[in-house]
Amino acid sequence: MHERVTTSGSAVPSASASLGPDWVPGPDGLRHRRAARVILLDDGGRVLLVRGHDADDPDRSWWFTVGGGIDDGETEVEAALRELHEEAGLTLAAEDLVGPVMTRAGIFRFLAETCRQDEVFFLACVDGGHEPSDHGWTDGERDVLDEMRWLTPDELRGETREVFPRVLPDLVDHLVRGWDGVVRHLGEENDDEPLESAD
């Protein structure tokens, strides 16, 4: 059993975890769910990201946008707003969300299973910034989430950990100037495939 450090700095033993009931077998045989995510920007051009790890592969850690699964009966917007509140302690209204600005299908291995997550991304901006809070994290989230942090695109490009989606630094550079109304459809992305080196 490994230990992880919470945002408050205390070490807590990790418990065994598994994918929740919202992950159901899809037509391709992979566990699947739909998710709503938010690219949250501040007035300094930074994006709020969460860093997490896989309980079955604790040495692998990555940054990703705030968001999560869409509950039964929820719209994509409702799910995005709920996740912002639960995951980052931020309460916004539907009119504060722009988009969706991007979609993708992420395929990745997590908790010893290969999964497919169909993701829709919204944009939101907080002019005065926001001090993220982990008070809404569930026990399951606390087992795999490590911290939240505001990061610039250049800081993301310099990160030694993975960043998902991989286009995020370039996308944030674009979105800080305002959304152009074009929904970017990334298609299917295998997050476990290594990046090709640019020689």
Side-chain angles (χ1 to χ4, degrees):
M1 184 184 304
H2 70 281
E3 289 188 334
R4 67 169 190 83
V5 178
T6 67
T7 52
S8 61
S10 58
V12 208
S14 293
S16 60
S18 62
L19 293 173
D22 53 335
W23 291 91
V24 296
D28 55 4
L30 300 181
R31 293 283 289 276
H32 166 268
R33 75 172 182 180
R34 294 173 58 240
R37 314 204 69 84
V38 181
I39 301 168
L40 184 66
L41 304 181
D42 71 1
D43 49 6
R46 302 179 304 171
V47 59
L48 182 64
L49 296 182
V50 183
R51 185 172 63 82
H53 67 275
D54 189 338
D56 289 327
D57 186 9
D59 292 332
R60 184 183 181 191
S61 179
W62 58 91
W63 292 101
F64 55 96
T65 56
V66 174
I70 300 171
D71 290 341
D72 286 343
E74 269 189 326
T75 67
E76 294 168 344
V77 168
E78 289 168 343
L81 293 172
R82 175 181 52 76
E83 288 288 341
L84 270 177
H85 180 72
E86 293 174 355
E87 218 165 70
L90 180 64
T91 301
L92 295 180
E95 56 267 26
D96 297 320
L97 296 183
V98 176
V101 299
M102 186 173 71
T103 68
R104 77 169 198 140
I107 296 177
F108 51 87
R109 189 160 179 80
F110 187 63
L111 299 177
E113 293 198 54
T114 300
C115 318
R116 175 191 176 98
Q117 184 163 258
D118 291 330
E119 300 173 335
V120 57
F121 292 78
F122 294 92
L123 170 67
C125 299
V126 284
D127 291 341
H130 168 69
E131 184 63 35
S133 166
D134 65 1
H135 292 308
W137 289 5
T138 65
D139 290 341
E141 287 171 332
R142 291 183 185 282
D143 191 47
V144 294
L145 302 183
D146 300 300
E147 63 173 315
M148 292 177 284
R149 192 187 303 172
W150 289 99
L151 293 161
T152 67
D154 285 342
E155 286 172 330
L156 288 176
R157 292 184 183 100
E159 257 296 329
T160 57
R161 301 177 184 93
E162 297 167 286
V163 176
F164 296 114
R166 290 170 174 161
V167 301
L168 190 60
D170 292 339
L171 182 60
V172 170
D173 272 340
H174 179 79
L175 291 174
V176 294
R177 299 190 294 270
W179 184 46
D180 57 9
V182 176
V183 182
R184 285 155 177 79
H185 298 288
L186 302 185
E188 188 174 283
E189 296 190 320
N190 188 330
D191 292 344
D192 296 328
E193 286 183 351
L195 281 172
E196 294 182 8
S197 58
D199 292 331

